[in-house]
Amino acid sequence: MAEFTWDHTHIRTYDVPGTAAWFQDKLGAANAQGTTVSEARADLMIGGTKVIVTQVKQGDGTNPTPAIPYAGFEHFGLGVRDLDKVAAD
């Protein structure tokens, strides 16, 4: 079986700085090396895993947030060696 590694989790939000501050204050996240939090994006590290927070704006073609309960999870990314072989399997 292929060996996968966790690369990142992607969260979209209307308030990148506020979301990043919450992750930093409540979960002890730190800015990924060489990055800063902006209105558009925050690259954070939590327990050795990258969390990418990006901005979504009303009316930019994204769907509205569903009713509660709903989390702003976008996707997670995995890394794998020899992707062609894994895809063939």
Side-chain angles (χ1 to χ4, degrees), residues 53-89:
V53 181
T54 58
Q55 184 181 58
V56 61
K57 293 182 180 179
Q58 295 285 351
D60 70 356
T62 58
N63 294 313
T65 303
I68 301 295
Y70 176 78
F73 177 72
E74 167 72 12
H75 72 267
F76 61 87
L78 300 174
V80 65
R81 292 188 188 277
D82 199 353
L83 180 59
D84 291 335
K85 181 180 181 298
V86 172
D89 288 343

Side-chain angles (χ1 to χ4, degrees), residues 8-9 14 18 20-21 27 33 37-38 42 59 61-62 69-72 74 83 85:
H8 69 274
T9 299
Y14 298 112
L27 303 178
Q33 186 174 5
V37 174
S38 72
T62 58
Y70 176 78
E74 167 72 12
L83 180 59
K85 181 180 181 298

Side-chain angles (χ1 to χ4, degrees), residues 2-62:
E3 186 174 319
F4 293 91
T5 57
W6 194 269
D7 186 71
H8 69 274
T9 299
H10 188 179
I11 297 172
R12 296 191 57 161
T13 181
Y14 298 112
D15 179 9
V16 172
T19 301
W22 186 90
F23 274 96
Q24 292 166 332
D25 182 52
K26 305 298 185 195
L27 303 178
N31 290 355
Q33 186 174 5
T35 69
T36 59
V37 174
S38 72
E39 289 292 323
R41 182 177 175 130
D43 290 70
L44 306 171
M45 297 298 294
I46 302 172
T49 299
K50 183 184 282 187
V51 175
I52 300 169
V53 181
T54 58
Q55 184 181 58
V56 61
K57 293 182 180 179
Q58 295 285 351
D60 70 356
T62 58

